[in-house]
Amino acid sequence: MLPADQIRALLREFDDPHCLERPRSFDVDASARRFAELTRALEERFGPSCKSGLNQDTSDYGGISVPADATGFGRPLWVGLSNFGCFVTAGRTSDWSEPDPTEGLTEEFVTWLDGVCTAAGCTFVPLEFLLEPYEGSTPILHDGDRFLAEVLSASAEDDGDDEEGEQEMPPVWADRYFQWA
């Protein structure tokens, strides 16, 4: 696996505010091949219960899910491929706002997935890096949500229905490369 400083440098390198869904150099055929290789490797390891799907109008190329009973570590698994930098990440789900989204992923599995990524021409990015605060230059969905929320709250009367303890999560790199829409 790449050292932490190289992973962070790659995340910053591919952050182009003029290319929101895919980089200028995006190669559809190469991405399709990489996704097929990732899917094939996961199916070989976990069996035919793997489900894969492509995404449209987002920075996430597609994802592969494996049900908990097939993983061998008692948790479901999700592996995603970004349109940017051929980044791949993994967790229990594509919803990283859940507590401990990588709980149950073994070091052996992460090492195996990193090898699969390297063979497919991808870069494995552990979710811990993607959950670091996004400080890039691309306006992402959360920025618009925050602005809209501020405008609405400034113009609305307080009706007392605020959820106690509910806080908006700040944008993270995963939002930029795996959920921007």
Side-chain angles (χ1 to χ4, degrees):
M1 190 173 346
L2 292 175
D5 60 332
Q6 284 184 320
I7 290 173
R8 288 182 181 106
L10 283 173
L11 292 174
R12 287 187 300 275
E13 177 185 331
F14 283 93
D15 185 31
D16 182 346
H18 303 291
C19 298
L20 302 177
E21 291 180 18
R22 63 185 84 55
R24 295 170 218 254
S25 61
F26 184 71
D27 183 336
V28 175
D29 293 333
S31 291
R33 180 189 50 76
R34 289 180 181 113
F35 190 73
E37 288 180 35
L38 288 169
T39 302
R40 186 173 32 258
L42 287 161
E43 287 174 344
E44 286 175 6
R45 181 173 176 131
F46 297 114
S49 62
C50 296
K51 303 282 187 238
S52 64
L54 303 179
N55 296 316
Q56 187 174 344
D57 301 328
T58 179
S59 59
D60 181 20
Y61 184 83
I64 305 118
S65 61
V66 184
D69 60 345
T71 63
F73 40 84
R75 303 250 190 293
L77 171 66
W78 176 84
V79 175
L81 172 65
S82 174
N83 289 333
F84 289 85
C86 306
F87 299 142
V88 172
T89 198
R92 288 185 290 123
T93 174
S94 62
D95 181 3
W96 14 85
S97 65
E98 289 185 12
D100 300 321
T102 60
E103 180 182 16
L105 297 185
T106 65
E107 186 175 326
E108 182 272 332
F109 170 75
V110 170
T111 300
W112 173 83
L113 183 57
D114 183 53
V116 168
C117 290
T118 300
C122 302
T123 301
F124 177 68
V125 180
L127 197 49
E128 66 189 70
F129 294 101
L130 293 168
L131 294 178
E132 292 177 355
Y134 174 75
E135 297 172 354
S137 59
T138 301
I140 58 178
L141 185 61
H142 288 293
D143 293 337
D145 290 346
R146 186 176 299 112
F147 175 75
L148 179 60
E150 288 172 4
V151 169
L152 291 175
S153 69
S155 65
E157 291 181 27
D158 184 9
D159 61 6
D161 288 340
D162 291 342
E163 295 288 327
E164 287 296 319
E166 190 175 304
Q167 292 181 335
E168 181 179 326
M169 299 298 295
V172 294
W173 285 99
D175 295 321
R176 171 64 177 109
Y177 290 123
F178 288 91
Q179 288 192 337
W180 186 90

